[in-house]
Amino acid sequence: MVTIDYDFQYFNPKDVLECGQIFRFSPYKDGYKVFSADKACYVYADGGKTFIECDDGDYFYNFFDLGRDYASINAIAMSYDVPLLQRGCALGRGLRLLNQNAEEMIYSFIISQNNNIPRIKGIIERICSSLGEEREFSGEKYYTFPSSKALSSAGKDFFRQLGAGYRDDYLAKTSARVAAEGIDGLYKLGSRELKARLLTYTGIGPKVADCISLFGFGRRECFPVDTWIEKLYREDFGGTLKDRNKINEYFCNLFGENAGYMQQYLFYAKRENFS
């Protein structure tokens, strides 16, 4: 077992895990168990530090993006004369963008559309327990995220029986395509080309493509637009555009290569204001 520690100021486990970018985690002891692909870790905060206990330190060092200077990203966010962004930056200083498994993100965000967090987590957990491999971490069993080959062999009815609803067809067709083609070629594409290619997969629209690009392929210039972003665009930016694609373009042009980070701060602040 390896233990990694990091400054809690720029790594708040609760904020990182509960901001909508990851679905495979659960409360455990003083923190959370987190699952990614075929790996697991225990993350918790104590005494001004955040600790990660795991069997693969290199994987989770990269997964939690610990090599990146979030103090500088925070300073960039504060430099914009946008009160909501500054508020999100101040309250959500401990937010981080995760470097997650791309295939897992493809299926997770297909499941996420028009869905709520508990239901998304439940569907994913049932898929893992049915098709994944059983492993053990910290004395308890868990299941890996299944391969595209395993997903494609399950069939449309399997996904419907697990509660995926109309997304059953999306999961069946996209997993069959990924199993046949692989996704290695996607990593070589520029961000615009990557989004365009993702849009050719069954069940992937613009917002889902941006989420997959941001959270699965590490394209930090992507800016997913959902109902929360539409709301803050109108209320906090005085925006008048109706087309989500144009709203996405507006924010990408405004924030450039840091758009993904700014999206998280804004999303966090708007949800906090609402609650």
Side-chain angles (χ1 to χ4, degrees):
M1 187 74 71
V2 176
T3 300
I4 303 169
D5 65 83
Y6 199 85
D7 182 2
F8 173 80
Q9 182 180 19
Y10 293 105
F11 183 5
N12 181 324
K14 182 179 186 297
D15 288 348
V16 170
L17 297 174
E18 296 186 6
C19 68
Q21 64 178 316
I22 182 173
F23 306 109
R24 291 179 66 213
F25 67 93
S26 58
Y28 178 71
K29 293 183 179 178
D30 297 320
Y32 303 86
K33 271 189 180 178
V34 180
F35 309 94
S36 175
D38 60 349
K39 304 185 190 312
C41 73
Y42 168 43
V43 58
Y44 61 97
D46 183 42
K49 285 188 174 294
T50 293
F51 296 89
I52 307 162
E53 295 180 3
C54 59
D55 293 324
D56 191 334
D58 290 341
Y59 184 87
F60 284 105
Y61 185 90
N62 176 67
F63 179 83
F64 287 109
D65 207 26
L66 300 187
R68 198 179 305 271
D69 178 14
Y70 274 75
S72 65
I73 294 169
N74 199 261
I76 291 169
M78 292 297 288
S79 72
Y80 286 95
D81 186 21
V82 179
L84 185 71
L85 180 57
Q86 293 176 339
R87 174 177 167 79
C89 192
L91 294 177
R93 186 174 285 113
L95 283 167
R96 309 183 73 81
L97 287 176
L98 302 175
N99 294 309
Q100 301 186 70
N101 178 271
E103 284 193 36
E104 184 172 338
M105 291 300 95
I106 288 172
Y107 306 117
S108 295
F109 280 99
I110 286 176
I111 292 167
S112 77
Q113 56 192 299
N114 300 315
N115 219 338
N116 60 63
I117 297 293
R119 193 160 180 270
I120 298 165
K121 293 179 71 171
I123 294 168
I124 293 173
E125 180 58 32
R126 291 191 289 276
I127 288 173
C128 291
S129 61
S130 298
L131 299 176
E133 297 178 10
E134 184 177 319
R135 300 282 175 87
E136 184 178 294
F137 175 76
S138 194
E140 296 182 6
K141 71 177 181 180
Y142 71 95
Y143 295 91
T144 65
F145 196 89
S147 66
S148 291
K149 182 178 179 180
L151 289 168
S152 66
S153 67
K156 178 179 173 178
D157 288 344
F158 165 80
F159 296 114
R160 178 166 288 273
Q161 290 167 6
L162 291 190
Y166 69 87
R167 305 164 198 83
D168 59 354
D169 189 52
Y170 301 165
L171 293 166
K173 288 180 177 177
T174 292
S175 62
R177 178 174 170 183
V178 174
E181 299 176 359
I183 62 169
D184 288 349
L186 298 182
Y187 291 95
K188 303 171 186 177
L189 301 176
S191 293
R192 285 184 180 274
E193 292 77 14
L194 173 61
K195 182 175 180 177
R197 185 71 62 83
L198 288 170
L199 289 172
T200 68
Y201 288 76
T202 303
I204 296 181
K207 184 254 183 177
V208 168
D210 280 323
C211 287
I212 295 167
S213 297
L214 179 59
F215 304 128
F217 288 90
R219 305 305 174 88
R220 301 318 200 207
E221 62 273 29
C222 293
F223 194 102
V225 176
D226 63 2
T227 54
W228 282 100
I229 296 299
E230 278 191 291
K231 182 178 177 65
L232 69 85
Y233 166 72
R234 292 192 304 269
E235 297 178 353
D236 300 280
F237 288 81
T240 58
L241 297 170
K242 304 295 184 183
D243 187 324
R244 281 192 178 185
N245 291 321
K246 292 186 180 299
I247 295 172
N248 166 266
E249 186 177 349
Y250 167 81
F251 281 117
C252 287
N253 289 336
L254 178 62
F255 296 125
E257 64 182 3
N258 296 303
Y261 303 107
M262 304 305 118
Q263 194 265 8
Q264 290 289 282
Y265 291 134
L266 288 167
F267 184 77
Y268 181 90
K270 198 63 177 177
R271 287 199 310 168
E272 287 295 305
N273 283 350
F274 183 79
S275 63

